């Protein structure tokens, strides 16, 4: 007879896969069911697509449940000891929070209490924080407000994007999950109440939130562009022949140009390279993508679109 701790896993995107895998591979835990979001249509052709966690669970023949609203769900899984939640995007109802012997444990993608909410990976980078990490906490009825069980931090590099941090945070959470759960369940760790004076919330990022505000400093905008990469992609818009043209800025120089003589958002040439004026300094544009076109270098854009010089991105 197995002495493994019977565990329900709740999550949706690929961010949650490393944590699910580490539980599946553990000698101490048995994942007896997975709860995730319903399949949904994706892309221009609206092809019905399963969540990443469903696909991973099915590889291991784990039963999958996909309630539209978990608060209305009468849980079909019985005799479980623990629930682990990673990136689910629905509020877990109190009846479920109170049900398992060892509670409901969440792997969150920031160093709580900072960056509660959905965009917890992007904003530490955008705001210029020196480090970020992951938090394992015991969930309560609030949004990311539960007591902290463990944390793991690491440095944010100047080459990091939201995409690279997303992977680093997911892996960091997975690495500490099983040892943290074992220490918590055995009583070696006492969860610590969060300091509410340090708390802030970051809502889910939408496509329009990626529009660049050129009245911000060049240093901020450079980080913002990395924070919106690979999705949704930071962008500016300009008018050409009375038509709005959206331009995604994929990558800029790390170093800020000490230039402040152009209008905010104005495109100009600097040493035969494409540049844009910000409030404090300017940025060299290394990679960009015009709507409906392939990604090109700033030099390629300057050669083929000299008419952009003097135009204003807004």
């Amino acid at each position: 007879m197995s002495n493994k701790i019977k565990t329900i896993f709740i999550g949706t995107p690929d961010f949650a896969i490393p944590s699910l895998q580490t539980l599946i591979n553990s000698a101490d835990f048995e994942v007896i069911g997975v709860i995730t979001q319903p399949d949904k249509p994706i892309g221009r052709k609206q092809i019905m697509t399963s969540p990443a966690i469903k696909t991973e669970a099915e590889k291991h023949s784990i039963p999958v449940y996909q309630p539209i609203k978990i608060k209305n769900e009468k849980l079909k899984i019985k005799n479980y000891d623990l629930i682990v939640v990673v990136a689910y995007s629905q509020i877990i109802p109190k009846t479920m929070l109170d049900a398992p012997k060892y509670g409901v444990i969440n792997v969150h993608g920031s160093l709580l209490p900072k960056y509660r909410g959905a965009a917890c990976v992007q904003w530490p980078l955008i705001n210029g924080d020196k480090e970020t990490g992951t938090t394992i906490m015991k969930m309560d009825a609030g949004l990311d407000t539960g007591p902290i069980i463990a944390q793991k931090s690491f440095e944010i590099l100047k080459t990091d994007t939201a995409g690279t941090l997303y992977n680093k945070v997911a892996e960091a959470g997975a690495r500490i999950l099983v040892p943290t759960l074992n220490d918590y369940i055995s009583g070696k760790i006492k969860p610590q109440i969060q300091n509410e004076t340090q708390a802030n919330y970051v809502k889910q990022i939408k496509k329009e939130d990626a529009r660049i505000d050129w009245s911000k400093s060049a240093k901020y905008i450079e980080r913002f562009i990395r924070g919106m990469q690979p999705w949704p992609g930071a962008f500016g818009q300009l008018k050409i022949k009375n038509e709005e043209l959206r331009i995604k800025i994929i990558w800029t120089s790390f170093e800020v140009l000490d230039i402040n003589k152009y209008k905010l958002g104005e495109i100009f040439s600097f040493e035969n390279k494409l540049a844009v004026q910000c409030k404090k300094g300017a940025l060299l544009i290394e990679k960009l993508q015009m709507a409906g076109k392939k990604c090109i270098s700033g030099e390629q854009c300057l050669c083929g679109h000299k008419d952009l010089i003097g135009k204003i991105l807004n």
Side-chain angles (χ1 to χ4, degrees), residues 75-202:
L75 200 59
K76 300 178 180 66
I77 311 169
K78 305 298 180 183
N79 301 319
Y80 56 92
D81 306 304
L82 173 72
I83 295 177
V84 174
V85 181
V86 186
Y88 180 58
S89 300
Q90 286 193 42
I91 299 296
I92 306 300
K94 190 175 188 305
T95 52
M96 192 174 290
L97 292 173
D98 295 339
K101 178 180 179 180
Y102 299 117
V104 180
I105 307 302
N106 176 235
V107 180
H108 181 77
S110 79
L111 298 173
L112 291 171
K114 294 184 70 177
Y115 305 112
R116 294 172 176 173
C120 53
V121 173
Q122 294 93 331
W123 283 103
L125 189 164
I126 295 169
N127 287 338
D129 292 5
K130 299 299 183 184
E131 64 177 12
T132 188
T134 188
T135 299
I136 296 179
M137 67 171 181
K138 185 174 183 181
M139 294 185 76
D140 61 15
L143 177 60
D144 300 328
T145 56
I148 294 170
I149 301 173
Q151 292 185 314
K152 177 68 175 178
S153 64
F154 54 85
E155 181 184 4
I156 298 175
L157 306 177
K158 71 175 185 179
T159 54
D160 272 323
T161 65
T164 62
L165 285 183
Y166 183 90
N167 293 332
K168 290 178 183 180
V169 172
E171 293 292 342
R175 280 196 301 273
I176 67 170
L177 179 57
V178 167
T180 296
L181 287 174
N182 281 330
D183 285 348
Y184 163 68
I185 289 168
S186 67
K188 293 180 181 178
I189 297 177
K190 182 178 180 182
Q192 300 297 309
I193 301 297
Q194 293 188 38
N195 184 346
E196 291 297 321
T197 65
Q198 297 178 1
N200 65 332
Y201 288 87
V202 283

Side-chain angles (χ1 to χ4, degrees), residues 4 45 49 72 89 100 110 122 144 157 163 166 170 194 217 219 225 231 239 253 260 279 281 285-286 289:
K4 290 185 176 183
K45 295 184 179 180
T49 305
N72 300 328
S89 300
S110 79
Q122 294 93 331
D144 300 328
L157 306 177
Y166 183 90
Q194 293 188 38
S217 72
K219 286 185 178 180
I225 290 167
W231 191 94
K239 278 190 176 181
S253 59
N260 294 284
K279 185 176 181 180
I285 308 302
E286 296 189 356
Q289 184 177 21

Side-chain angles (χ1 to χ4, degrees), residues 237-254:
Q237 292 191 168
L238 53 78
K239 278 190 176 181
I240 296 181
K241 297 179 181 179
N242 295 322
E243 289 188 10
E244 289 283 350
L245 175 65
R246 177 172 292 198
I247 299 178
K248 282 189 177 182
I249 310 298
I250 308 298
W251 201 259
T252 71
S253 59
F254 298 123

Side-chain angles (χ1 to χ4, degrees), residues 42-60:
I42 299 291
R44 292 182 180 179
K45 295 184 179 180
Q46 294 291 281
I47 297 172
M48 289 300 293
T49 305
S50 298
I53 279 296
K54 177 182 178 181
T55 302
E56 185 65 25
E58 288 176 340
K59 291 179 184 177
H60 301 274

